[in-house]
Every structure is written in structure tokens, then in C-alpha cells.
Amino acid sequence: MGILLAPSLLSGDFGDIRGTVKILNEGDADMLHLDIMDGVFVPNISFGFPVVDAIAKYSEKPLDAHLMITDPDPYIDRFCASGVSMLSVHYEVCTHLNRTVNHIKDKGMKAGVAINPHTPVSLLEDIIGDLDFVLLMSVNPGFSGQGFIQNTYSKLRRLKKLAEVINPDCLIEVDGGINVENAAAVKAAGADIIVAGSSVLGTKNPMAAMKELKTVCSG
Ligand code: DX5
Ligand code: ZN
């Protein structure tokens, strides 16, 4: 079994969104990862609905939006209207997480919960049964191009066990610092989906980079 590849647009050229999406349409991307940052939950601001809508207009692949915002609930319907099919919210900001997850699913989207590097996977015990995927952060969210946090491997193995017991259909997505050197090990530890920002759109040849990531994970 291979891996699903979710290149992040954050490392792309925002002056040429159409061209960036074209590369991902034609290459080995399985979905497009959209990093939405509010400058409050994370120390960075990325992009909002006009840009999401432009990406959606050109994308032939599913959109996977990762909300790094403190108050996601009021925006769930709007992401659905944009054509997003996978939506993740952060555990650390959702007071009524069960309600938020059900809202996402009621809109017909796949619901995911993202956890920061310091957040224990055991905290997902009573929500993982309701999830379509967990997004495990392997860097502190906010920026692309950071180094992969090594403790993620142990978290991944524990998360995989938890999912196998409670919800074997729940996919595990890993996000941050993934490249051709560590992708196979991330997959071996339990990842179903890998996000890749700088190691795809930050390279000179994103088509080749996607192919290589797929190849190293194909074993
Ligand atoms: C970080 C974002 C990531 C980021 C990944 O806050 O959630 O999706 O774009 O970029 P790389 O792969 O360069 O770490
Ligand atoms: Zn992300």
C-alpha cells in the first residue's frame, strides 16, 4: 500500500495560483492541502476565502483545509460552500469539539481533528470514533519549512493503535517537515496521508518531487 500525498499550497507561488494548481492537477497529488491561519492561534496569517475559492475553481482534486484559527465554527458552512471536502479543526481551540465535528459531517465533509506536537494522542480517545481523520502535527503550526519533530514517530504509533481499537477507518494525516528522507519512516509508523509543503512546491521541480515522495512510500 502506498501513501496519499497532500501538497500544501503554502509553499507555492500565490502570484500564479492557477499555474500552481495545474501542476498539482497533473502530478501525483491526491488532494490539495490548504493552510488557513488567523494570526491568533498561530503567529502567521496565510489566506482566506477569495484564495480558497480561486484554488477550488481550478482544482480537479479534493481540497483538504487545515484550520489554524481560534474560532472555526462560524466558518464551517463557508468552507463547504467553497468546495472543501476534508476539514480539520484544532483540538486545542474547540471547547465543544463533538458539536464542531458533527457540524462538519452534517455538511457532508470529512471531519478531522488536528493536534499540536505537545498534545497527547490519548486526548482523542473519546472523539476518534466520530472522526474521518486525525491530523498529527509534526511541527509547531504556523510556517512551512520547519524541521520534523522526532517525537512524532512515537505519537504516530500510539495513535495508530488507538485508531485500530476504536475506529480502524479513521485515516492518519501527518503534517510538517516531511521530505524524501523521512516519508517512508512516517508511513511505516502509521501515516495514511502525508502533507508536503516545501518538499514539493518549494522545489524547482514539483512534479518530480511528488513522484519521488510517492516512490519512497510505495514499498
Ligand atoms: C504548518 C502547516 C503545514 C505546512 C507544511 O503550519 O500546517 O501544512 O504548510 O509545510 P512543510 O512541509 O514545509 O513543513
Ligand atoms: Zn497544514
Side-chain angles (χ1 to χ4, degrees), residues 12-126:
D13 175 5
F14 282 85
D16 182 19
I17 289 174
R18 191 175 187 168
T20 300
V21 174
K22 185 170 187 283
I23 291 168
L24 301 178
N25 281 340
E26 289 171 3
D28 284 320
D30 293 290
M31 62 196 77
L32 275 51
H33 186 82
L34 310 183
D35 287 303
I36 312 297
M37 305 178 181
D38 66 356
V40 180
F41 177 61
V42 289
N44 197 8
I45 297 173
S46 57
F47 55 88
F49 292 116
V51 174
V52 173
D53 290 342
I55 294 166
K57 184 172 167 189
Y58 300 120
S59 179
E60 294 162 8
K61 306 214 169 151
L63 302 181
D64 162 39
H66 172 197
L67 304 191
M68 286 160 274
I69 65 178
T70 50
D71 190 14
D73 296 277
Y75 306 104
I76 291 172
D77 292 13
R78 182 64 179 84
F79 278 103
C80 179
S82 289
V84 165
S85 52
M86 292 172 68
L87 192 65
S88 57
V89 295
H90 265 265
Y91 178 91
E92 297 83 5
V93 293
C94 292
T95 312
H96 304 288
L97 187 57
N98 179 279
R99 180 185 289 149
T100 302
V101 163
N102 283 325
H103 185 171
I104 295 170
K105 294 205 296 192
D106 286 347
K107 295 303 291 182
M109 295 181 284
K110 304 270 184 217
V113 167
I115 59 171
N116 278 336
H118 72 280
T119 302
V121 296
S122 56
L123 288 174
L124 297 173
E125 216 174 296
D126 290 292

Side-chain angles (χ1 to χ4, degrees), residues 79-200:
F79 278 103
C80 179
S82 289
V84 165
S85 52
M86 292 172 68
L87 192 65
S88 57
V89 295
H90 265 265
Y91 178 91
E92 297 83 5
V93 293
C94 292
T95 312
H96 304 288
L97 187 57
N98 179 279
R99 180 185 289 149
T100 302
V101 163
N102 283 325
H103 185 171
I104 295 170
K105 294 205 296 192
D106 286 347
K107 295 303 291 182
M109 295 181 284
K110 304 270 184 217
V113 167
I115 59 171
N116 278 336
H118 72 280
T119 302
V121 296
S122 56
L123 288 174
L124 297 173
E125 216 174 296
D126 290 292
I127 192 73
I128 197 167
D130 297 311
L131 300 182
D132 296 298
F133 67 105
V134 171
L135 197 167
L136 194 63
M137 288 308 300
S138 40
V139 297
N140 288 295
F143 304 93
S144 58
Q146 302 181 85
F148 186 90
I149 294 173
Q150 295 300 312
N151 182 53
T152 308
Y153 291 117
S154 140
K155 284 184 78 174
L156 244 176
R157 286 189 288 267
R158 282 180 274 131
L159 177 58
K160 184 76 181 166
K161 275 191 195 144
L162 189 69
E164 272 166 6
V165 173
I166 300 176
N167 181 3
D169 294 331
C170 180
L171 297 180
I172 300 175
E173 178 172 19
V174 185
D175 184 6
I178 299 179
N179 51 46
V180 285
E181 270 80 49
N182 59 20
V186 172
K187 185 201 162 199
D192 302 294
I193 308 169
I194 51 170
V195 176
S198 45
S199 65
V200 170

